[in-house]
Amino acid sequence: MRNPVLVEVMRGALVESRHRGAVAVVDAEGAAVLTLGDVTLPVYPRSAVKPIQALPLIESGAADRFGFGDEEIALACASHGGEPAHVAVAARMLARAGLEAGALECGAHWPSHQPSSQALARSAAAPSALHNNCSGKHAGFLCVACAAGVDHCSYVGPSHPVQREVRAALESLTGVGLSEDQCGIDGCAIPTFAVPLTALAHAFARFGTGARMGQSRTKAAARIRAAIAAQPYYVAGSGRFCTEIMTRFGARVLVKTGAEGVFCGALPEQGVGIALKCDDGATRAAEVAMAAMIARFLPMSDEERAGLDLRLRPTLRNWNGTTVGGLRPTPDVIPGDPGLEPGETRDP
Amino acid sequence: MRNPVLVEVMRGALVESRHRGAVAVVDAEGAAVLTLGDVTLPVYPRSAVKPIQALPLIESGAADRFGFGDEEIALACASHGGEPAHVAVAARMLARAGLEAGALECGAHWPSHQPSSQALARSAAAPSALHNNCSGKHAGFLCVACAAGVDHCSYVGPSHPVQREVRAALESLTGVGLSEDQCGIDGCAIPTFAVPLTALAHAFARFGTGARMGQSRTKAAARIRAAIAAQPYYVAGSGRFCTEIMTRFGARVLVKTGAEGVFCGALPEQGVGIALKCDDGATRAAEVAMAAMIARFLPMSDEERAGLDLRLRPTLRNWNGTTVGGLRPTPDVIPGDPGLEPGETRDP
């Protein structure tokens, strides 16, 4: 099966580039509400499952023990931009557990937030693991280990008690047995297990609604959702899709990006979870496709719709600020979306 | 027609992402040597045609008048990283024509070469148009205008004499009438005309061999090729594909990257031009596909082949430096390439 084109990149009157992919929208019972393309092929969810990976932090009592509030819990679910506030909260989480940045095993990289990266360069400092976009998740892992009194060394390894807890939470919510032969190593060194998009969407339907989980897990998921809704800046950062969308829609939308074109989310009031992947790994297209699912399934005001449209049909500008094109979802993704201009060819 | 998967991105034992695209290899007579996918669809060549866009700089006599050597001519063909040496040569080109950076109409952006960008941030300076990856091409355009004694204002516009010269060179080499209704605005503000990959490959076969062009154009193309072969650092920069490949193979290979997954090139001794585009606009896959065409058509030593393999099957590492996967061409691109591992699925 070949996946449909989900998103087109326009320049002038022509389609310049095309992004194929698959989308699953599933309810908490596991029933498919919408599928596009092959939703049965296992895909690595990468960072898109961070909210689920944060469940042990709450369920173990570690978050309470270290006095974590919304900022810390949101950062534990984050792919953040390495802005100073992100770095400060990650450092605070570690300090509460009596640890320093050296305990992080995620590796270091320059902040993806360009002004923060430039400011760091100006200060003549090199980035540390605290600037890694996953530092909040890793700080959370370390806190789980410390609260349980287990050695935190090699906490990124698949056999460490923390990763076993994380894996169990993913297996329980996806309903899929995770397999070592469908396991890769993520950018931040932890295991990433491939699962079908339908199972990821099912997991997010459960996580978003609290349905079909044990009572303590329902409560833990609610606490994570509330933290993210209260502090969406700490899940991504300035100018970022996840932060902007959840700032706009509050607790009505949960969205989380992952590397290589994966996006997961939930619309709690609609009772559905969403999981999608662009075949080619493109974040720009995954964002448009996720915006399209929100536009399609979430009732909203005209003002909200106009705001969402900036992410649904983002404009491309050149270095002089001139509009040269833009991205748009195809009619496969949003039926009735404005059609082709004369002379355009959509997909040969 | 749906284009084949050209490049796969592996993580662990699975294909994580897939890049589709089309490839044309054509000789100077215009005969197709190899085609993959739809090579008749017009695509914007973007920066991949910069060596052809530099022809008026030589043919007009401007390069001679201003005393340009290999560095200046190579930079006129460049998508450079904004390294200090690139910026210095662009400034020198402008100075020879009595101009300053303010004459450039390409817009400013931070250097893509990260250490140069960080050094610029440390110096508390903001980027200028000289740091724009196209500043050498634009400096060349300005020199053409100045040498001809025409007003250089709005030299980026389609009706300016410089752009009319550039367009005429492209029409002549591609053999295609360029059309306003298949024209977009490039990132650096000049027009980009969509043409089929077969026509782009034909243009590069002519450019690379000097065949099927007038005598003065044959000489001009040879001068540009010699400049690029002598100074490949000025066409891209440190760590970049074009610079590395042409440093390795010298005048036997001409390659030039373009935005949105386009790559053009020529193998002069084999008498062929190459043009390819990844549907999704991914540079990482376009590089692998171009490396595959070189591997397939250029005779080379074992040592050269081992060097090329680093670009044909590049390794992906995480932030700790651990190998987590890599890219590879599919058997559609290189028949007989190592097959799938047990349990892998290539394309559902």
Side-chain angles (χ1 to χ4, degrees), chain A residues 83-102:
Chain A
E83 300 180 57
H86 300 134
V87 172
V89 172
R92 192 165 77 206
M93 292 171 73
L94 293 174
R96 294 274 175 83
L99 296 171
E100 295 188 342

Side-chain angles (χ1 to χ4, degrees), chain A residues 1-5 9-20 38 41-44 46 105-110 114 117-125 132-133 156 181-190 192 194 259-262 277-282 284 316 318-320 322-324 343 345 347-348, chain B residues 1-5 9-20 38 41-44 46 105-110 114 117-125 132-133 156 181-190 192 194 259-262 277-282 284 316 318-320 322-324 343 345 347-348:
Chain A
M1 177 173 188
R2 284 179 176 177
N3 289 329
V5 176
V9 182
M10 307 296 302
R11 181 173 299 264
L14 300 185
V15 178
E16 182 167 30
S17 297
R18 296 163 177 81
H19 297 279
R20 293 177 183 275
D38 184 349
L41 186 76
V43 302
Y44 293 123
R46 310 293 302 273
E105 299 179 9
C106 50
H109 64 74
W110 287 87
Q114 283 310 302
S117 185
Q118 287 151 11
L120 186 64
R122 272 195 292 277
S123 75
N132 186 308
N133 76 91
V156 296
D181 63 9
Q182 308 244 307
C183 181
I185 302 171
D186 212 325
C188 67
I190 69 163
T192 182
E260 289 293 331
V262 176
K277 175 170 168 77
C278 292
D279 293 354
D280 53 69
R284 65 178 182 180
L316 291 178
N318 69 11
W319 299 113
N320 289 326
T322 306
T323 296
V324 295
T345 55
D347 189 30
Chain B
M1 176 169 185
R2 285 180 178 178
N3 288 330
V5 175
V9 182
M10 307 296 301
R11 180 174 299 265
L14 300 184
V15 178
E16 182 167 30
S17 299
R18 295 164 176 80
H19 297 279
R20 294 177 182 276
D38 184 351
L41 186 76
V43 302
Y44 294 123
R46 309 293 302 272
E105 298 179 11
C106 50
H109 64 74
W110 287 88
Q114 283 310 302
S117 185
Q118 287 151 9
L120 187 63
R122 271 195 292 276
S123 75
N132 187 307
N133 75 89
V156 295
D181 63 9
Q182 309 243 306
C183 181
I185 302 171
D186 213 324
C188 67
I190 70 162
T192 182
E260 291 291 333
V262 176
K277 176 171 166 76
C278 292
D279 294 355
D280 53 70
R284 66 177 181 180
L316 292 177
N318 69 11
W319 299 114
N320 288 327
T322 306
T323 297
V324 295
T345 55
D347 189 31

Side-chain angles (χ1 to χ4, degrees), chain B residues 4-334:
Chain B
V5 175
L6 302 179
V7 175
E8 293 172 329
V9 182
M10 307 296 301
R11 180 174 299 265
L14 300 184
V15 178
E16 182 167 30
S17 299
R18 295 164 176 80
H19 297 279
R20 294 177 182 276
V23 183
V25 182
V26 173
D27 70 19
E29 266 48 64
V33 176
L34 172 73
T35 69
L36 297 170
D38 184 351
V39 294
T40 64
L41 186 76
V43 302
Y44 294 123
R46 309 293 302 272
S47 289
V49 289
K50 277 175 176 166
I52 295 172
Q53 290 171 320
L55 282 168
L57 177 65
I58 309 298
E59 293 173 347
S60 69
D64 282 338
R65 171 160 165 193
F66 296 122
F68 289 171
D70 291 339
E71 292 180 0
E72 291 87 354
I73 294 171
L75 197 78
C77 304
S79 299
H80 64 72
E83 299 180 58
H86 299 134
V87 171
V89 172
R92 190 165 79 206
M93 292 170 73
L94 293 173
R96 296 273 174 83
L99 296 172
E100 295 189 341
L104 293 168
E105 298 179 11
C106 50
H109 64 74
W110 287 88
S112 67
H113 181 248
Q114 283 310 302
S116 298
S117 185
Q118 287 151 9
L120 187 63
R122 271 195 292 276
S123 75
S128 78
L130 290 169
H131 298 92
N132 187 307
N133 75 89
C134 303
S135 67
K137 177 178 74 174
H138 281 250
F141 290 159
L142 283 162
C143 289
V144 172
C146 289
V150 303
D151 182 4
H152 61 73
C153 284
S154 302
Y155 69 89
V156 295
S159 61
H160 189 277
V162 172
Q163 293 307 326
R164 290 209 304 265
E165 286 295 316
V166 169
R167 175 179 173 163
L170 280 165
E171 284 190 317
S172 166
L173 263 69
T174 59
V176 169
L178 302 180
S179 154
E180 269 82 29
D181 63 9
Q182 309 243 306
C183 181
I185 302 171
D186 213 324
C188 67
I190 70 162
T192 182
F193 292 95
V195 284
L197 288 174
T198 43
L200 287 171
H202 188 192
F204 271 81
R206 283 170 158 155
F207 189 90
T209 60
R212 304 273 160 180
M213 303 192 289
Q215 200 173 352
S216 72
R217 179 151 291 174
T218 296
K219 208 173 144 195
R223 180 151 179 214
I224 293 171
R225 292 200 313 275
I228 291 174
Q231 295 290 347
Y233 169 79
Y234 286 94
V235 176
S238 303
R240 294 273 302 277
F241 182 95
C242 291
T243 295
E244 185 184 306
I245 291 291
M246 295 192 291
T247 300
R248 188 176 301 284
F249 293 105
R252 294 152 62 204
V253 176
L254 172 72
V255 284
K256 183 66 192 73
T257 189
E260 291 291 333
V262 176
F263 232 112
C264 289
L267 305 176
E269 292 173 11
Q270 284 65 45
V272 298
I274 304 163
L276 63 90
K277 176 171 166 76
C278 292
D279 294 355
D280 53 70
T283 296
R284 66 177 181 180
E287 290 179 350
V288 169
M290 181 52 85
M293 291 303 108
I294 297 167
R296 190 162 168 175
F297 289 102
L298 185 73
M300 63 186 77
S301 68
D302 289 348
E303 187 188 338
E304 287 172 334
R305 194 164 294 279
L308 181 62
D309 205 60
L310 301 174
R311 290 295 193 168
L312 182 61
R313 295 176 185 83
T315 298
L316 292 177
R317 296 178 197 280
N318 69 11
W319 299 114
N320 288 327
T322 306
T323 297
V324 295
L327 279 70
R328 66 183 187 189
T330 62
D332 281 334
V333 181
I334 300 194

Side-chain angles (χ1 to χ4, degrees), chain A residues 29-52:
Chain A
E29 269 63 55
V33 175
L34 171 73
T35 69
L36 298 169
D38 184 349
V39 294
T40 64
L41 186 76
V43 302
Y44 293 123
R46 310 293 302 273
S47 289
V49 291
K50 278 177 176 167
I52 295 171

Side-chain angles (χ1 to χ4, degrees), chain A residues 203-285:
Chain A
F204 271 81
R206 284 169 157 155
F207 189 90
T209 60
R212 305 271 160 180
M213 302 193 289
Q215 200 173 351
S216 71
R217 180 151 289 173
T218 297
K219 209 173 143 193
R223 180 151 179 213
I224 293 171
R225 291 200 313 274
I228 291 173
Q231 296 290 347
Y233 168 78
Y234 285 93
V235 176
S238 303
R240 293 275 302 279
F241 182 94
C242 292
T243 295
E244 185 184 305
I245 291 293
M246 295 193 290
T247 300
R248 189 177 299 286
F249 293 105
R252 294 152 62 202
V253 176
L254 172 72
V255 283
K256 183 66 195 71
T257 189
E260 289 293 331
V262 176
F263 232 112
C264 288
L267 305 176
E269 294 174 7
Q270 284 65 48
V272 298
I274 304 162
L276 63 89
K277 175 170 168 77
C278 292
D279 293 354
D280 53 69
T283 295
R284 65 178 182 180

